[in-house]
Amino acid sequence: MRNLTPTAGPADLAERYAYPPDGAWLRANMVASLDGAAQLDERSGGLGNASDRHLFALLRGLADVVIVGAGTVRAEGYGPVRPEELVAGTRDGRPPVPPLAIASRTLDLDFDAPVFTEAASRTIVLATATADPVRLRAARERADVIVAGQDTLDFPAALRELRARGHRRLLCEGGPMLLAQLVADGLLDELCLTLSPLLLAGHPTRILNGPPVPVPAEMTLAHALRDGDFLFLRYTRRSR
């Protein structure tokens, strides 16, 4: 066991969080309290600080597409990704914003909401073949639809289609049920975890909300950064 000694001066976050130069790479960005809660008052935003929000904007800017579950879109009041919200210089040579890719088996979404109608990059919906045909038609009017799977979403197929569309650098923002499925499918390459200095108790959702993973993914600590009492941890999968 060794001391974790911070280096002098601020970290170059764009360098620290740069995607690998080749191949597709799926990272997740989550925040949790010291006792493992992924939400405060049913939202993740209350757990972070200014640096966490800056990192959120940076990771969005570095990504080609932002994947999020429909439940998180509803709970967090998601809007479209807007250019002014991103860290300057992260979109050089690419579209001004990454599209959102919303995973929804039931298509219980408001297709007249700004997340669809005001998106600078057309929102993508990940749907199943057995989704309600009326809802599927409504989704296709407002978004690009990727059908992957029959009754349940086939995430390996969905990610293959996203990569085929040129989205090599993928970012998942949750929620916990979606992230649990991606981990169970062996798709997650990296976890960026903000550790918030709060103890909440109760029975909150963890960053993964799903059945136990038969073969736990082993992760390697890539870096640990500190801002006050917050820790910013970056883990990568030990073997791909």
Side-chain angles (χ1 to χ4, degrees):
M1 194 174 295
R2 300 180 180 180
N3 288 321
L4 184 63
T5 304
T7 58
D12 184 335
L13 296 184
E15 179 182 334
R16 289 293 193 104
Y17 287 94
Y19 279 86
D22 301 308
W25 188 265
L26 174 62
R27 74 165 31 132
N29 183 33
M30 303 294 284
V31 60
S33 69
L34 293 179
D35 56 332
Q39 297 173 337
L40 175 63
D41 297 329
E42 299 184 353
R43 299 186 65 179
S44 62
L47 292 171
N49 66 352
S51 290
D52 179 64
R53 291 186 288 274
H54 177 79
L55 181 59
F56 180 89
L58 174 73
L59 295 185
R60 279 188 160 194
L62 295 174
D64 294 329
V65 64
V66 178
I67 304 167
V68 64
T72 297
V73 169
R74 293 189 294 267
E76 303 280 349
Y78 260 59
V81 181
R82 302 186 188 276
E84 64 271 17
E85 298 170 350
L86 303 180
V87 175
T90 56
R91 305 299 300 172
D92 293 346
R94 294 186 292 157
V97 298
L100 287 177
I102 302 174
S104 178
R105 184 179 59 83
T106 64
L107 298 182
D108 181 16
L109 295 162
D110 180 3
F111 295 111
D112 292 321
V115 70
F116 294 102
T117 62
E118 298 178 11
S121 290
R122 189 171 171 86
T123 297
I124 300 166
V125 171
L126 310 179
T128 61
T130 55
D132 179 82
V134 174
R135 302 298 296 164
L136 199 54
R137 282 196 299 272
R140 286 186 166 125
E141 289 176 0
R142 296 291 196 186
D144 291 336
V145 175
I146 293 175
V147 174
Q150 293 295 314
D151 298 319
T152 59
L153 278 167
D154 182 341
F155 285 106
L159 266 57
R160 284 195 299 271
E161 178 60 28
L162 287 172
R163 292 194 295 268
R165 297 183 179 201
H167 302 312
R168 180 181 69 81
R169 292 164 286 200
L170 304 106
L171 170 65
C172 175
E173 294 179 349
M177 291 181 66
L178 170 59
L179 185 55
Q181 187 60 59
L182 293 173
V183 171
D185 288 342
L187 300 172
L188 189 69
D189 297 300
E190 176 182 328
L191 173 64
C192 300
L193 178 64
T194 298
L195 196 56
S196 176
L198 296 175
L199 293 169
L200 301 181
H203 302 282
T205 300
R206 297 160 55 190
I207 65 167
L208 268 66
N209 183 14
V213 179
V215 181
E218 295 188 19
M219 311 295 284
T220 296
L221 181 63
H223 73 226
L225 305 176
R226 177 183 177 186
D227 178 52
D229 294 317
F230 283 77
L231 284 178
F232 297 85
L233 308 174
R234 179 171 173 257
Y235 284 90
T236 57
R237 191 159 63 169
R238 189 166 294 177
S239 59
R240 298 194 65 197

